PDB file of all heavy atoms in Angstrom:
ATOM      1  N   ILE A 133     -12.046  -1.588   9.526  1.00  0.00           N
ATOM      2  CA  ILE A 133     -10.772  -1.962   8.797  1.00  0.00           C
ATOM      3  C   ILE A 133      -9.725  -1.045   9.126  1.00  0.00           C
ATOM      4  O   ILE A 133      -8.502  -1.407   9.562  1.00  0.00           O
ATOM      5  CB  ILE A 133     -11.009  -1.962   7.292  1.00  0.00           C
ATOM      6  CG1 ILE A 133     -11.944  -3.119   6.954  1.00  0.00           C
ATOM      7  CG2 ILE A 133      -9.726  -2.088   6.513  1.00  0.00           C
ATOM      8  CD1 ILE A 133     -12.458  -3.163   5.545  1.00  0.00           C
ATOM      9  N   TYR A 134      -9.870   0.293   8.965  1.00  0.00           N
ATOM     10  CA  TYR A 134      -8.795   1.311   9.277  1.00  0.00           C
ATOM     11  C   TYR A 134      -8.360   1.313  10.737  1.00  0.00           C
ATOM     12  O   TYR A 134      -7.286   1.643  11.087  1.00  0.00           O
ATOM     13  CB  TYR A 134      -9.231   2.687   8.811  1.00  0.00           C
ATOM     14  CG  TYR A 134      -9.040   2.754   7.292  1.00  0.00           C
ATOM     15  CD1 TYR A 134     -10.189   2.829   6.504  1.00  0.00           C
ATOM     16  CD2 TYR A 134      -7.794   2.883   6.698  1.00  0.00           C
ATOM     17  CE1 TYR A 134     -10.039   2.859   5.050  1.00  0.00           C
ATOM     18  CE2 TYR A 134      -7.729   2.902   5.333  1.00  0.00           C
ATOM     19  CZ  TYR A 134      -8.808   3.002   4.525  1.00  0.00           C
ATOM     20  OH  TYR A 134      -8.625   3.042   3.124  1.00  0.00           O
ATOM     21  N   SER A 135      -9.304   1.027  11.605  1.00  0.00           N
ATOM     22  CA  SER A 135      -8.994   0.983  13.064  1.00  0.00           C
ATOM     23  C   SER A 135      -8.007  -0.094  13.308  1.00  0.00           C
ATOM     24  O   SER A 135      -6.993   0.142  14.050  1.00  0.00           O
ATOM     25  CB  SER A 135     -10.359   0.736  13.922  1.00  0.00           C
ATOM     26  OG  SER A 135      -9.989   0.489  15.237  1.00  0.00           O
ATOM     27  N   TYR A 136      -8.274  -1.302  12.760  1.00  0.00           N
ATOM     28  CA  TYR A 136      -7.378  -2.463  12.997  1.00  0.00           C
ATOM     29  C   TYR A 136      -6.094  -2.364  12.274  1.00  0.00           C
ATOM     30  O   TYR A 136      -5.004  -2.722  12.641  1.00  0.00           O
ATOM     31  CB  TYR A 136      -8.068  -3.766  12.807  1.00  0.00           C
ATOM     32  CG  TYR A 136      -8.986  -4.130  13.927  1.00  0.00           C
ATOM     33  CD1 TYR A 136     -10.369  -4.040  13.714  1.00  0.00           C
ATOM     34  CD2 TYR A 136      -8.496  -4.533  15.162  1.00  0.00           C
ATOM     35  CE1 TYR A 136     -11.208  -4.379  14.821  1.00  0.00           C
ATOM     36  CE2 TYR A 136      -9.423  -4.891  16.184  1.00  0.00           C
ATOM     37  CZ  TYR A 136     -10.758  -4.751  15.996  1.00  0.00           C
ATOM     38  OH  TYR A 136     -11.678  -5.063  17.036  1.00  0.00           O
ATOM     39  N   PHE A 137      -6.181  -1.676  11.093  1.00  0.00           N
ATOM     40  CA  PHE A 137      -4.916  -1.490  10.294  1.00  0.00           C
ATOM     41  C   PHE A 137      -3.976  -0.468  11.064  1.00  0.00           C
ATOM     42  O   PHE A 137      -2.792  -0.729  11.059  1.00  0.00           O
ATOM     43  CB  PHE A 137      -5.258  -0.948   8.946  1.00  0.00           C
ATOM     44  CG  PHE A 137      -4.100  -0.405   8.139  1.00  0.00           C
ATOM     45  CD1 PHE A 137      -3.127  -1.365   7.748  1.00  0.00           C
ATOM     46  CD2 PHE A 137      -3.933   0.905   7.793  1.00  0.00           C
ATOM     47  CE1 PHE A 137      -2.054  -0.934   6.987  1.00  0.00           C
ATOM     48  CE2 PHE A 137      -2.788   1.340   7.150  1.00  0.00           C
ATOM     49  CZ  PHE A 137      -1.832   0.400   6.717  1.00  0.00           C
ATOM     50  N   SER A 138      -4.532   0.586  11.602  1.00  0.00           N
ATOM     51  CA  SER A 138      -3.822   1.632  12.381  1.00  0.00           C
ATOM     52  C   SER A 138      -3.189   0.790  13.611  1.00  0.00           C
ATOM     53  O   SER A 138      -1.954   1.163  13.930  1.00  0.00           O
ATOM     54  CB  SER A 138      -4.617   2.719  12.893  1.00  0.00           C
ATOM     55  OG  SER A 138      -5.175   3.452  11.720  1.00  0.00           O
ATOM     56  N   GLU A 139      -3.928  -0.038  14.214  1.00  0.00           N
ATOM     57  CA  GLU A 139      -3.345  -0.781  15.329  1.00  0.00           C
ATOM     58  C   GLU A 139      -2.293  -1.665  14.871  1.00  0.00           C
ATOM     59  O   GLU A 139      -1.250  -1.867  15.642  1.00  0.00           O
ATOM     60  CB  GLU A 139      -4.483  -1.696  15.938  1.00  0.00           C
ATOM     61  CG  GLU A 139      -4.193  -2.200  17.303  1.00  0.00           C
ATOM     62  CD  GLU A 139      -5.393  -3.050  17.803  1.00  0.00           C
ATOM     63  OE1 GLU A 139      -6.462  -2.523  17.843  1.00  0.00           O
ATOM     64  OE2 GLU A 139      -5.151  -4.234  18.271  1.00  0.00           O
ATOM     65  N   TYR A 140      -2.371  -2.264  13.630  1.00  0.00           N
ATOM     66  CA  TYR A 140      -1.292  -3.127  13.176  1.00  0.00           C
ATOM     67  C   TYR A 140      -0.005  -2.320  12.874  1.00  0.00           C
ATOM     68  O   TYR A 140       1.094  -2.655  13.213  1.00  0.00           O
ATOM     69  CB  TYR A 140      -1.669  -3.669  11.812  1.00  0.00           C
ATOM     70  CG  TYR A 140      -0.623  -4.475  11.144  1.00  0.00           C
ATOM     71  CD1 TYR A 140      -0.456  -5.912  11.345  1.00  0.00           C
ATOM     72  CD2 TYR A 140       0.226  -3.842  10.216  1.00  0.00           C
ATOM     73  CE1 TYR A 140       0.546  -6.516  10.744  1.00  0.00           C
ATOM     74  CE2 TYR A 140       1.292  -4.588   9.622  1.00  0.00           C
ATOM     75  CZ  TYR A 140       1.428  -5.904   9.903  1.00  0.00           C
ATOM     76  OH  TYR A 140       2.443  -6.698   9.275  1.00  0.00           O
ATOM     77  N   GLU A 141      -0.133  -1.039  12.353  1.00  0.00           N
ATOM     78  CA  GLU A 141       0.930  -0.194  12.174  1.00  0.00           C
ATOM     79  C   GLU A 141       1.696   0.163  13.430  1.00  0.00           C
ATOM     80  O   GLU A 141       2.913   0.186  13.535  1.00  0.00           O
ATOM     81  CB  GLU A 141       0.501   1.154  11.446  1.00  0.00           C
ATOM     82  CG  GLU A 141       0.239   0.963   9.957  1.00  0.00           C
ATOM     83  CD  GLU A 141      -0.019   2.280   9.214  1.00  0.00           C
ATOM     84  OE1 GLU A 141      -0.847   3.059   9.682  1.00  0.00           O
ATOM     85  OE2 GLU A 141       0.648   2.501   8.135  1.00  0.00           O
ATOM     86  N   ARG A 142       0.950   0.532  14.429  1.00  0.00           N
ATOM     87  CA  ARG A 142       1.430   0.906  15.778  1.00  0.00           C
ATOM     88  C   ARG A 142       2.184  -0.386  16.383  1.00  0.00           C
ATOM     89  O   ARG A 142       3.294  -0.215  16.861  1.00  0.00           O
ATOM     90  CB  ARG A 142       0.332   1.396  16.689  1.00  0.00           C
ATOM     91  CG  ARG A 142      -0.216   2.729  16.336  1.00  0.00           C
ATOM     92  CD  ARG A 142      -0.996   3.349  17.510  1.00  0.00           C
ATOM     93  NE  ARG A 142      -2.179   2.433  17.802  1.00  0.00           N
ATOM     94  CZ  ARG A 142      -3.326   2.529  17.218  1.00  0.00           C
ATOM     95  NH1 ARG A 142      -3.549   3.446  16.303  1.00  0.00           N
ATOM     96  NH2 ARG A 142      -4.320   1.706  17.585  1.00  0.00           N
ATOM     97  N   SER A 143       1.535  -1.464  16.313  1.00  0.00           N
ATOM     98  CA  SER A 143       2.149  -2.707  16.923  1.00  0.00           C
ATOM     99  C   SER A 143       3.418  -3.041  16.223  1.00  0.00           C
ATOM    100  O   SER A 143       4.342  -3.676  16.910  1.00  0.00           O
ATOM    101  CB  SER A 143       1.160  -3.823  16.816  1.00  0.00           C
ATOM    102  OG  SER A 143      -0.049  -3.615  17.566  1.00  0.00           O
ATOM    103  N   ASN A 144       3.534  -2.943  14.893  1.00  0.00           N
ATOM    104  CA  ASN A 144       4.658  -3.319  14.206  1.00  0.00           C
ATOM    105  C   ASN A 144       5.636  -2.228  13.830  1.00  0.00           C
ATOM    106  O   ASN A 144       6.572  -2.440  13.095  1.00  0.00           O
ATOM    107  CB  ASN A 144       4.174  -4.162  12.913  1.00  0.00           C
ATOM    108  CG  ASN A 144       3.476  -5.374  13.196  1.00  0.00           C
ATOM    109  OD1 ASN A 144       4.131  -6.433  13.277  1.00  0.00           O
ATOM    110  ND2 ASN A 144       2.193  -5.349  13.219  1.00  0.00           N
ATOM    111  N   LYS A 145       5.332  -1.004  14.321  1.00  0.00           N
ATOM    112  CA  LYS A 145       6.135   0.132  14.189  1.00  0.00           C
ATOM    113  C   LYS A 145       6.409   0.421  12.626  1.00  0.00           C
ATOM    114  O   LYS A 145       7.629   0.564  12.248  1.00  0.00           O
ATOM    115  CB  LYS A 145       7.429   0.014  14.943  1.00  0.00           C
ATOM    116  CG  LYS A 145       7.252  -0.017  16.463  1.00  0.00           C
ATOM    117  CD  LYS A 145       8.439  -0.296  17.317  1.00  0.00           C
ATOM    118  CE  LYS A 145       8.146  -0.267  18.756  1.00  0.00           C
ATOM    119  NZ  LYS A 145       9.385  -0.509  19.552  1.00  0.00           N
ATOM    120  N   VAL A 146       5.428   0.436  11.895  1.00  0.00           N
ATOM    121  CA  VAL A 146       5.481   0.772  10.441  1.00  0.00           C
ATOM    122  C   VAL A 146       4.497   1.811  10.103  1.00  0.00           C
ATOM    123  O   VAL A 146       3.593   2.114  10.837  1.00  0.00           O
ATOM    124  CB  VAL A 146       5.181  -0.512   9.555  1.00  0.00           C
ATOM    125  CG1 VAL A 146       6.245  -1.593   9.708  1.00  0.00           C
ATOM    126  CG2 VAL A 146       3.860  -1.134   9.873  1.00  0.00           C
ATOM    127  N   ASN A 147       4.830   2.432   8.969  1.00  0.00           N
ATOM    128  CA  ASN A 147       3.940   3.588   8.476  1.00  0.00           C
ATOM    129  C   ASN A 147       3.920   3.509   7.044  1.00  0.00           C
ATOM    130  O   ASN A 147       4.864   4.031   6.388  1.00  0.00           O
ATOM    131  CB  ASN A 147       4.470   4.936   9.007  1.00  0.00           C
ATOM    132  CG  ASN A 147       3.607   6.121   8.775  1.00  0.00           C
ATOM    133  OD1 ASN A 147       2.341   5.835   8.443  1.00  0.00           O
ATOM    134  ND2 ASN A 147       4.045   7.315   8.720  1.00  0.00           N
ATOM    135  N   TYR A 148       2.788   3.010   6.523  1.00  0.00           N
ATOM    136  CA  TYR A 148       2.791   2.847   5.059  1.00  0.00           C
ATOM    137  C   TYR A 148       2.124   4.058   4.323  1.00  0.00           C
ATOM    138  O   TYR A 148       1.332   4.761   4.978  1.00  0.00           O
ATOM    139  CB  TYR A 148       1.919   1.628   4.721  1.00  0.00           C
ATOM    140  CG  TYR A 148       2.436   0.213   5.056  1.00  0.00           C
ATOM    141  CD1 TYR A 148       2.028  -0.539   6.258  1.00  0.00           C
ATOM    142  CD2 TYR A 148       3.509  -0.300   4.352  1.00  0.00           C
ATOM    143  CE1 TYR A 148       2.585  -1.696   6.565  1.00  0.00           C
ATOM    144  CE2 TYR A 148       4.094  -1.481   4.643  1.00  0.00           C
ATOM    145  CZ  TYR A 148       3.634  -2.244   5.724  1.00  0.00           C
ATOM    146  OH  TYR A 148       4.166  -3.434   6.096  1.00  0.00           O
ATOM    147  N   GLU A 149       2.416   4.242   3.071  1.00  0.00           N
ATOM    148  CA  GLU A 149       1.783   5.324   2.321  1.00  0.00           C
ATOM    149  C   GLU A 149       0.744   4.612   1.388  1.00  0.00           C
ATOM    150  O   GLU A 149       1.011   3.578   0.680  1.00  0.00           O
ATOM    151  CB  GLU A 149       2.762   5.991   1.431  1.00  0.00           C
ATOM    152  CG  GLU A 149       2.143   7.066   0.557  1.00  0.00           C
ATOM    153  CD  GLU A 149       3.115   7.663  -0.441  1.00  0.00           C
ATOM    154  OE1 GLU A 149       4.398   7.505  -0.264  1.00  0.00           O
ATOM    155  OE2 GLU A 149       2.699   8.356  -1.376  1.00  0.00           O
ATOM    156  N   PHE A 150      -0.464   5.041   1.439  1.00  0.00           N
ATOM    157  CA  PHE A 150      -1.559   4.395   0.719  1.00  0.00           C
ATOM    158  C   PHE A 150      -1.534   4.765  -0.729  1.00  0.00           C
ATOM    159  O   PHE A 150      -1.375   5.953  -1.062  1.00  0.00           O
ATOM    160  CB  PHE A 150      -3.006   4.780   1.415  1.00  0.00           C
ATOM    161  CG  PHE A 150      -4.213   4.343   0.666  1.00  0.00           C
ATOM    162  CD1 PHE A 150      -4.250   3.032   0.332  1.00  0.00           C
ATOM    163  CD2 PHE A 150      -5.205   5.224   0.263  1.00  0.00           C
ATOM    164  CE1 PHE A 150      -5.408   2.479  -0.401  1.00  0.00           C
ATOM    165  CE2 PHE A 150      -6.303   4.750  -0.377  1.00  0.00           C
ATOM    166  CZ  PHE A 150      -6.400   3.393  -0.690  1.00  0.00           C
ATOM    167  N   THR A 151      -1.684   3.739  -1.539  1.00  0.00           N
ATOM    168  CA  THR A 151      -1.690   3.967  -3.037  1.00  0.00           C
ATOM    169  C   THR A 151      -3.040   4.416  -3.523  1.00  0.00           C
ATOM    170  O   THR A 151      -3.650   3.789  -4.352  1.00  0.00           O
ATOM    171  CB  THR A 151      -1.192   2.728  -3.741  1.00  0.00           C
ATOM    172  OG1 THR A 151      -2.154   1.657  -3.464  1.00  0.00           O
ATOM    173  CG2 THR A 151       0.200   2.326  -3.501  1.00  0.00           C
ATOM    174  N   ALA A 152      -3.443   5.598  -3.026  1.00  0.00           N
ATOM    175  CA  ALA A 152      -4.771   6.083  -3.536  1.00  0.00           C
ATOM    176  C   ALA A 152      -4.637   6.573  -4.933  1.00  0.00           C
ATOM    177  O   ALA A 152      -5.755   6.633  -5.584  1.00  0.00           O
ATOM    178  CB  ALA A 152      -5.175   7.282  -2.579  1.00  0.00           C
ATOM    179  N   ASN A 153      -3.477   6.832  -5.395  1.00  0.00           N
ATOM    180  CA  ASN A 153      -3.298   7.291  -6.857  1.00  0.00           C
ATOM    181  C   ASN A 153      -3.321   6.141  -7.749  1.00  0.00           C
ATOM    182  O   ASN A 153      -2.486   5.295  -7.821  1.00  0.00           O
ATOM    183  CB  ASN A 153      -2.013   8.022  -6.960  1.00  0.00           C
ATOM    184  CG  ASN A 153      -1.751   8.797  -8.216  1.00  0.00           C
ATOM    185  OD1 ASN A 153      -2.271   8.256  -9.314  1.00  0.00           O
ATOM    186  ND2 ASN A 153      -1.148   9.940  -8.202  1.00  0.00           N
ATOM    187  N   GLU A 154      -4.430   6.056  -8.587  1.00  0.00           N
ATOM    188  CA  GLU A 154      -4.605   4.928  -9.525  1.00  0.00           C
ATOM    189  C   GLU A 154      -3.549   4.872 -10.549  1.00  0.00           C
ATOM    190  O   GLU A 154      -3.110   3.823 -11.050  1.00  0.00           O
ATOM    191  CB  GLU A 154      -5.984   5.000 -10.199  1.00  0.00           C
ATOM    192  CG  GLU A 154      -7.172   4.780  -9.254  1.00  0.00           C
ATOM    193  CD  GLU A 154      -8.498   4.774  -9.991  1.00  0.00           C
ATOM    194  OE1 GLU A 154      -8.485   4.830 -11.217  1.00  0.00           O
ATOM    195  OE2 GLU A 154      -9.483   4.764  -9.249  1.00  0.00           O
ATOM    196  N   HIS A 155      -3.044   6.098 -10.971  1.00  0.00           N
ATOM    197  CA  HIS A 155      -1.952   6.259 -11.953  1.00  0.00           C
ATOM    198  C   HIS A 155      -0.696   5.575 -11.401  1.00  0.00           C
ATOM    199  O   HIS A 155       0.029   4.835 -12.123  1.00  0.00           O
ATOM    200  CB  HIS A 155      -1.724   7.630 -12.293  1.00  0.00           C
ATOM    201  CG  HIS A 155      -0.668   7.873 -13.297  1.00  0.00           C
ATOM    202  ND1 HIS A 155      -0.896   7.412 -14.689  1.00  0.00           N
ATOM    203  CD2 HIS A 155       0.563   8.386 -13.325  1.00  0.00           C
ATOM    204  CE1 HIS A 155       0.218   7.755 -15.349  1.00  0.00           C
ATOM    205  NE2 HIS A 155       1.087   8.360 -14.553  1.00  0.00           N
ATOM    206  N   LYS A 156      -0.398   5.683 -10.210  1.00  0.00           N
ATOM    207  CA  LYS A 156       0.705   5.144  -9.517  1.00  0.00           C
ATOM    208  C   LYS A 156       0.764   3.606  -9.505  1.00  0.00           C
ATOM    209  O   LYS A 156       1.672   2.936  -9.850  1.00  0.00           O
ATOM    210  CB  LYS A 156       0.914   5.670  -8.088  1.00  0.00           C
ATOM    211  CG  LYS A 156       2.227   5.181  -7.488  1.00  0.00           C
ATOM    212  CD  LYS A 156       2.279   5.737  -5.993  1.00  0.00           C
ATOM    213  CE  LYS A 156       2.420   7.200  -5.901  1.00  0.00           C
ATOM    214  NZ  LYS A 156       2.589   7.604  -4.444  1.00  0.00           N
ATOM    215  N   GLN A 157      -0.522   3.123  -9.150  1.00  0.00           N
ATOM    216  CA  GLN A 157      -0.739   1.694  -9.174  1.00  0.00           C
ATOM    217  C   GLN A 157      -0.641   1.059 -10.517  1.00  0.00           C
ATOM    218  O   GLN A 157       0.002   0.055 -10.706  1.00  0.00           O
ATOM    219  CB  GLN A 157      -2.175   1.443  -8.552  1.00  0.00           C
ATOM    220  CG  GLN A 157      -2.395  -0.185  -8.415  1.00  0.00           C
ATOM    221  CD  GLN A 157      -3.718  -0.446  -8.002  1.00  0.00           C
ATOM    222  OE1 GLN A 157      -4.677   0.315  -8.310  1.00  0.00           O
ATOM    223  NE2 GLN A 157      -3.989  -1.454  -7.248  1.00  0.00           N
ATOM    224  N   SER A 158      -1.166   1.744 -11.561  1.00  0.00           N
ATOM    225  CA  SER A 158      -1.128   1.246 -12.859  1.00  0.00           C
ATOM    226  C   SER A 158       0.337   1.220 -13.427  1.00  0.00           C
ATOM    227  O   SER A 158       0.771   0.256 -14.056  1.00  0.00           O
ATOM    228  CB  SER A 158      -1.901   2.192 -13.886  1.00  0.00           C
ATOM    229  OG  SER A 158      -3.264   2.090 -13.503  1.00  0.00           O
ATOM    230  N   ASN A 159       1.175   2.230 -13.055  1.00  0.00           N
ATOM    231  CA  ASN A 159       2.584   2.146 -13.449  1.00  0.00           C
ATOM    232  C   ASN A 159       3.307   1.003 -12.882  1.00  0.00           C
ATOM    233  O   ASN A 159       4.135   0.407 -13.519  1.00  0.00           O
ATOM    234  CB  ASN A 159       3.247   3.474 -12.966  1.00  0.00           C
ATOM    235  CG  ASN A 159       2.870   4.661 -13.859  1.00  0.00           C
ATOM    236  OD1 ASN A 159       2.388   4.500 -15.009  1.00  0.00           O
ATOM    237  ND2 ASN A 159       3.059   5.924 -13.351  1.00  0.00           N
ATOM    238  N   ILE A 160       3.062   0.642 -11.584  1.00  0.00           N
ATOM    239  CA  ILE A 160       3.642  -0.467 -11.028  1.00  0.00           C
ATOM    240  C   ILE A 160       3.271  -1.755 -11.636  1.00  0.00           C
ATOM    241  O   ILE A 160       4.132  -2.645 -11.947  1.00  0.00           O
ATOM    242  CB  ILE A 160       3.314  -0.499  -9.450  1.00  0.00           C
ATOM    243  CG1 ILE A 160       3.878   0.718  -8.709  1.00  0.00           C
ATOM    244  CG2 ILE A 160       3.926  -1.782  -8.755  1.00  0.00           C
ATOM    245  CD1 ILE A 160       3.501   0.844  -7.307  1.00  0.00           C
ATOM    246  N   VAL A 161       1.993  -1.941 -11.951  1.00  0.00           N
ATOM    247  CA  VAL A 161       1.500  -3.092 -12.546  1.00  0.00           C
ATOM    248  C   VAL A 161       2.092  -3.214 -14.012  1.00  0.00           C
ATOM    249  O   VAL A 161       2.478  -4.338 -14.418  1.00  0.00           O
ATOM    250  CB  VAL A 161      -0.069  -3.126 -12.644  1.00  0.00           C
ATOM    251  CG1 VAL A 161      -0.569  -4.400 -13.368  1.00  0.00           C
ATOM    252  CG2 VAL A 161      -0.661  -3.194 -11.188  1.00  0.00           C
ATOM    253  N   ASN A 162       2.184  -2.188 -14.723  1.00  0.00           N
ATOM    254  CA  ASN A 162       2.795  -2.138 -16.042  1.00  0.00           C
ATOM    255  C   ASN A 162       4.195  -2.671 -16.007  1.00  0.00           C
ATOM    256  O   ASN A 162       4.668  -3.454 -16.876  1.00  0.00           O
ATOM    257  CB  ASN A 162       2.725  -0.711 -16.622  1.00  0.00           C
ATOM    258  CG  ASN A 162       1.420  -0.392 -17.301  1.00  0.00           C
ATOM    259  OD1 ASN A 162       0.663  -1.321 -17.694  1.00  0.00           O
ATOM    260  ND2 ASN A 162       1.098   0.809 -17.411  1.00  0.00           N
ATOM    261  N   GLU A 163       4.954  -2.180 -15.111  1.00  0.00           N
ATOM    262  CA  GLU A 163       6.372  -2.631 -14.963  1.00  0.00           C
ATOM    263  C   GLU A 163       6.476  -4.073 -14.691  1.00  0.00           C
ATOM    264  O   GLU A 163       7.306  -4.823 -15.144  1.00  0.00           O
ATOM    265  CB  GLU A 163       7.015  -1.896 -13.706  1.00  0.00           C
ATOM    266  CG  GLU A 163       7.273  -0.412 -14.067  1.00  0.00           C
ATOM    267  CD  GLU A 163       7.666   0.369 -12.794  1.00  0.00           C
ATOM    268  OE1 GLU A 163       8.122  -0.283 -11.798  1.00  0.00           O
ATOM    269  OE2 GLU A 163       7.807   1.613 -12.857  1.00  0.00           O
ATOM    270  N   CYS A 164       5.469  -4.635 -13.864  1.00  0.00           N
ATOM    271  CA  CYS A 164       5.489  -6.080 -13.573  1.00  0.00           C
ATOM    272  C   CYS A 164       5.142  -6.908 -14.761  1.00  0.00           C
ATOM    273  O   CYS A 164       5.755  -7.937 -14.992  1.00  0.00           O
ATOM    274  CB  CYS A 164       4.442  -6.316 -12.374  1.00  0.00           C
ATOM    275  SG  CYS A 164       4.857  -5.556 -10.932  1.00  0.00           S
ATOM    276  N   ILE A 165       4.143  -6.436 -15.579  1.00  0.00           N
ATOM    277  CA  ILE A 165       3.793  -7.171 -16.817  1.00  0.00           C
ATOM    278  C   ILE A 165       4.969  -7.245 -17.712  1.00  0.00           C
ATOM    279  O   ILE A 165       5.313  -8.351 -18.288  1.00  0.00           O
ATOM    280  CB  ILE A 165       2.622  -6.462 -17.573  1.00  0.00           C
ATOM    281  CG1 ILE A 165       1.382  -6.387 -16.644  1.00  0.00           C
ATOM    282  CG2 ILE A 165       2.364  -7.108 -18.800  1.00  0.00           C
ATOM    283  CD1 ILE A 165       0.246  -5.604 -17.129  1.00  0.00           C
ATOM    284  N   VAL A 166       5.733  -6.168 -17.904  1.00  0.00           N
ATOM    285  CA  VAL A 166       6.844  -6.190 -18.786  1.00  0.00           C
ATOM    286  C   VAL A 166       7.924  -7.211 -18.300  1.00  0.00           C
ATOM    287  O   VAL A 166       8.509  -7.882 -19.084  1.00  0.00           O
ATOM    288  CB  VAL A 166       7.458  -4.785 -18.828  1.00  0.00           C
ATOM    289  CG1 VAL A 166       8.773  -4.758 -19.680  1.00  0.00           C
ATOM    290  CG2 VAL A 166       6.430  -3.859 -19.564  1.00  0.00           C
ATOM    291  N   GLN A 167       8.215  -7.136 -16.974  1.00  0.00           N
ATOM    292  CA  GLN A 167       9.218  -8.051 -16.410  1.00  0.00           C
ATOM    293  C   GLN A 167       8.797  -9.607 -16.577  1.00  0.00           C
ATOM    294  O   GLN A 167       9.589 -10.383 -16.884  1.00  0.00           O
ATOM    295  CB  GLN A 167       9.490  -7.674 -14.943  1.00  0.00           C
ATOM    296  CG  GLN A 167      10.206  -6.353 -14.843  1.00  0.00           C
ATOM    297  CD  GLN A 167      10.675  -6.051 -13.339  1.00  0.00           C
ATOM    298  OE1 GLN A 167      11.227  -6.882 -12.730  1.00  0.00           O
ATOM    299  NE2 GLN A 167      10.247  -4.905 -12.898  1.00  0.00           N
ATOM    300  N   ILE A 168       7.576  -9.817 -16.209  1.00  0.00           N
ATOM    301  CA  ILE A 168       7.136 -11.223 -16.223  1.00  0.00           C
ATOM    302  C   ILE A 168       6.942 -11.778 -17.724  1.00  0.00           C
ATOM    303  O   ILE A 168       7.192 -12.904 -17.944  1.00  0.00           O
ATOM    304  CB  ILE A 168       5.745 -11.313 -15.542  1.00  0.00           C
ATOM    305  CG1 ILE A 168       5.927 -10.985 -14.036  1.00  0.00           C
ATOM    306  CG2 ILE A 168       5.198 -12.814 -15.602  1.00  0.00           C
ATOM    307  CD1 ILE A 168       6.945 -11.747 -13.304  1.00  0.00           C
TER     308      ILE A 168
END
């Protein structure tokens, strides 16, 4: 998975930051719940 994902990043000239932090992900989902 990471091999082809890295290939995708190189091909599309992007560099994403992985949301390994569960707290960060929860905060984003909380904001979405409030808005929806």
Side-chain angles (χ1 to χ4, degrees):
I133 290 170
Y134 282 107
S135 172
Y136 285 107
F137 172 66
S138 297
E139 192 177 312
Y140 176 90
E141 285 190 308
R142 289 193 299 271
S143 300
N144 293 275
K145 297 178 180 178
V146 291
N147 186 20
Y148 293 106
E149 180 187 344
F150 177 48
T151 57
N153 189 324
E154 291 182 9
H155 182 67
K156 185 185 291 185
Q157 184 186 32
S158 295
N159 284 341
I160 295 172
V161 176
N162 275 338
E163 291 172 10
C164 295
I165 295 169
V166 172
Q167 290 186 53
I168 299 303

